[in-house]
C-alpha cells in the first residue's frame, strides 16, 4: 500500500467517525482531495483507491493534470483565486468552481461554459475573517451574489465555501465556522438545490464537520507536504 492509499483509508474512517460523533447523517461529508503541487502518481494512487473529487488552485498546473489524467473518472474543483483572464479555461475544463467571489467572474464563467457541458457547479466563497489578503465576498453580500449565480444559465449554485484564518483549538475553530453554517441554512431556506457547505482543511476538518460541513478539502493530510 502506498502512503496515499493508507492515508485515504484513515481519513475516510475519521470522517465516518466524526459524522457519528456529531450526529451527522452517514456519508453526508464528502472528501475533496486537494492535489495542488502534488504529483500525478499520487493522484493516480488516490483514484485507484476510489477517490473521485480533486481540488486545484492554479489554472495552468491544473490544465496539465486534467489533460494527463483524462483517462480517469475525476471531478475537478477549482478552489483558488480567479483572475478574469482565466475564466474561460476554468469554464471549459472544471466540473466545479468553489471560489466565485464577485459578480463579474460569475457572469464570465456562465457565458464561457460550453453548451455541450452541464452547468458548472458553483460555491460562493465567503471571506470570514475579513482579511484583505484573502479572496471572498463578505458574509453580508454573499446572499446577493448567490442569487446572481442562481439566475445565470451556465451555472448551478450549490452553496458556500470559506477558508477561515488558522486557529488551533477545537472550540475556536468551531466558532469561526459557525457564521458560515448559519448563512448556509439561510441560503437553503431561500433558494432550491443548495446542498454544499465546503469548509474544513487538514488542520480543522473535525471542527468543520461538527458545524455542518458537507465537503472537507484535504491536501497535506492526504498527500503529505507540497512540493
Ligand atoms: C490548499 C488548500 C486546501 C488544502 O489545505 P491543507 O491544509 O493542505 O489540507 C484547502 N482549501 C483550499 C482553498 C486550499 O487552497
Amino acid at each position: 500500500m502506498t502512503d496515499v492509499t493508507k492515508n485515504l483509508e484513515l481519513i475516510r474512517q475519521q470522517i465516518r467517525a466524526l459524522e457519528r460523533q456529531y450526529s451527522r447523517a452517514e456519508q453526508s461529508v464528502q472528501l475533496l482531495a486537494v492535489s495542488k503541487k502534488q504529483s500525478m502518481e499520487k493522484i493516480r494512487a488516490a483514484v485507484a483507491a476510489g477517490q473521485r473529487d480533486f481540488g486545484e488552485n492554479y489554472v495552468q498546473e491544473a490544465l496539465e493534470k486534467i489533460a494527463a489524467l483524462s483517462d480517469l473518472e475525476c471531478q475537478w474543483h477549482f478552489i483558488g483565486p480567479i483572475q478574469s483572464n482565466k475564466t474561460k479555461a476554468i469554464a471549459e475544463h472544471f466540473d466545479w468552481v468553489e471560489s466565485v467571489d464577485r459578480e463579474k467572474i460569475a457572469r464570465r464563467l456562465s457565458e464561457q461554459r460550453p453548451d455541450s457541458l452541464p452547468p458548472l457547479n458553483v460555491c460562493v466563497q465567503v471571506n470570514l475573517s475579513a482579511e484583505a489578503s484573502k479572496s471572498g465576498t463578505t458574509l453580508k453580500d454573499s446572499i446577493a451574489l448567490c442569487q446572481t449565480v442562481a439566475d445565470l444559465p451556465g451555472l448551478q449554485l450549490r452553496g458556500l465555501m470559506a477558508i477561515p484564518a488558522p486557529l488551533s483549538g477545537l472550540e475556536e475553530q468551531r466558532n469561526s465556522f459557525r457564521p458560515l453554517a448559519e448563512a448556509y441554512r439561510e441560503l437553503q431556506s431561500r433558494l432550491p438545490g443548495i446542498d454544499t457547505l465546503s469548509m474544513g482543511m487538514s488542520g480543522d476538518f473535525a471542527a468543520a464537520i461538527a458545524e455542518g460541513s458537507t465537503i472537507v478539502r484535504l491536501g497535506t493530510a492526504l498527500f503529505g507536504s507540497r512540493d
Side-chain angles (χ1 to χ4, degrees), residues 113-164:
R113 181 66 169 173
D115 290 336
S116 58
L117 296 176
L120 188 57
N121 296 293
V122 166
C123 292
V124 163
Q125 182 177 351
V126 176
N127 183 346
L128 286 176
S129 33
E131 288 169 77
S133 60
K134 273 207 201 102
S135 17
T137 178
T138 62
L139 208 46
K140 193 164 134 294
D141 293 339
S142 63
I143 302 283
L145 180 55
C146 284
Q147 186 66 64
T148 301
V149 169
D151 291 340
L152 289 168
L155 308 182
Q156 175 78 48
L157 178 68
R158 301 295 293 269
L160 299 174
M161 183 275 251
I163 316 171

Side-chain angles (χ1 to χ4, degrees), residues 32-36 38 55-58 78-81 98-99 125 161-163 198 200-205 216-226:
L32 179 69
V34 176
S35 49
K36 64 175 176 216
Q38 303 286 357
E56 289 282 338
N57 291 54
Y58 309 102
F78 191 78
I79 60 174
E98 298 194 13
S99 46
Q125 182 177 351
M161 183 275 251
I163 316 171
S198 176
M201 314 195 341
S202 294
D204 57 14
F205 69 98
V216 290
R217 308 179 309 268
L218 306 190
T220 47
L222 173 58
F223 293 115
S225 56
R226 288 181 271 274

